[in-house]
Amino acid sequence: MDARSIADALIVAERERKPIAPFTDAVPGLDAQTGYRAQRLIVEHRLDGGEILIGAKLGLTSRAKQEAMGVHEPLYGWLTSGMVLPYGEPLPLGALIHPRVEPEIAFLLGKELAPPATVTSVLEATEAVFAAIDVLDSRYEDFRFLLPDVIADNASAGRVLLGPRARAPSEVGDLRLLGCVLRSQGELVATAAGGAVLGHPAAAVAWLVNSLSPEDWPLAPGALVLSGGLTAPVPVRQGAVVCAEFDGLGSVEVYG
């Protein structure tokens, strides 16, 4: 199975809201490189439709998630303008298949980043950090997919919400210690800190920069990067409210 046929099937699944079987069911030997080629074709389809590339997102940035998937490094996908949900606007559940949300620390780059990137160079290049919620929406029938499947599906990108408060990294302090509380319907779901993401969320951004090949889109000034989920994802249903509260960055809510 080639990248073009994978991309076409995922584009139709998203448009028609009809989940499909993971490709690794039929092609056990599917590799990550083919997944990334399919991912690029999906993003190019969005750009051809008038959207703008605004940044990137990381997945599998926690040790627990990597072990669950049997891998030893994160993965990445791309963000386009059509994925951004205005602050306070309800999630368009009718346009999604089975949305789940996870809290993240988002980086807005003020300078271009080039490899070899480090935590220090990422922080120096960052104009601001935000509280964010990544709305995952896998186009597969269930959540038993393998790494090449989720890569091809653009890292399950659905929507992204940013909190209203932008802070320079120096104003927030050590991002490893930045705490987050996730609540659903007012009930505590999970707590975490920035260090849950590769030990430091800026390390995730550095990994991304160092992993991009020359043919990948660059992370130019103004790019937004979601550094990876701090907690396990939480489903969002009609009428639900999920809130992520961050030390120093305020809160961001998703309304179902």
Side-chain angles (χ1 to χ4, degrees):
M1 181 173 288
D2 63 8
R4 179 76 267 174
S5 60
I6 291 172
D8 288 345
L10 286 166
I11 289 168
V12 171
E14 181 176 14
R15 181 177 66 240
E16 298 183 354
R17 296 186 64 237
K18 293 181 179 179
I20 58 178
F23 297 101
T24 52
D25 282 1
V27 188
L30 187 67
D31 58 24
Q33 290 73 22
T34 302
Y36 278 117
R37 288 195 292 271
Q39 177 192 105
R40 187 179 183 93
L41 292 170
I42 290 171
V43 177
E44 288 176 345
H45 174 77
R46 285 181 168 271
L47 302 183
D48 290 343
E51 295 187 38
I52 299 170
L53 190 70
I54 62 169
K57 58 167 290 184
L58 288 126
L60 299 183
T61 51
S62 74
R63 181 68 62 189
K65 288 184 179 180
Q66 290 176 13
E67 291 177 352
M69 293 288 287
V71 299
H72 305 289
E73 63 179 15
L75 58 87
Y76 64 84
W78 297 95
L79 301 173
T80 60
S81 54
M83 298 176 186
V84 179
L85 191 67
Y87 184 76
E89 186 172 305
L91 191 63
L93 295 177
L96 303 171
I97 297 174
H98 32 214
R100 301 178 298 157
V101 303
E102 55 187 22
E104 306 205 8
I105 299 171
F107 289 70
L108 178 65
L109 301 182
K111 301 177 183 177
E112 186 170 352
L113 266 170
T118 64
V119 168
T120 299
S121 68
V122 168
L123 293 176
E124 290 176 347
T126 298
E127 179 178 322
V129 290
F130 296 82
I133 286 182
D134 184 16
V135 181
L136 306 172
D137 192 37
S138 168
R139 268 58 70 167
Y140 299 115
E141 292 170 340
D142 50 39
F143 304 115
R144 59 179 175 79
F145 44 74
L146 300 180
L147 182 69
D149 298 306
V150 69
I151 289 173
D153 195 24
N154 196 27
S156 302
R159 298 291 188 276
V160 57
L161 296 91
L162 297 178
R165 185 181 300 177
R167 301 284 300 277
S170 59
E171 296 176 328
V172 180
D174 191 341
L175 292 177
R176 294 173 300 178
L177 306 179
L178 191 149
C180 173
V181 175
L182 185 66
R183 302 181 192 276
S184 179
Q185 298 297 81
E187 297 293 326
L188 178 65
V189 174
T191 61
V197 175
L198 292 186
H200 195 302
V205 181
W207 177 89
L208 173 63
V209 173
N210 296 332
S211 299
L212 295 178
S213 60
E215 64 268 19
D216 284 318
W217 291 293
L219 291 177
L224 181 73
V225 181
L226 297 186
S227 57
L230 297 175
T231 72
V234 175
V236 181
R237 299 179 176 84
Q238 189 71 43
V241 179
V242 180
C243 177
E245 304 165 1
F246 293 79
D247 292 341
L249 296 177
S251 62
V252 57
E253 300 84 20
V254 172
Y255 302 96

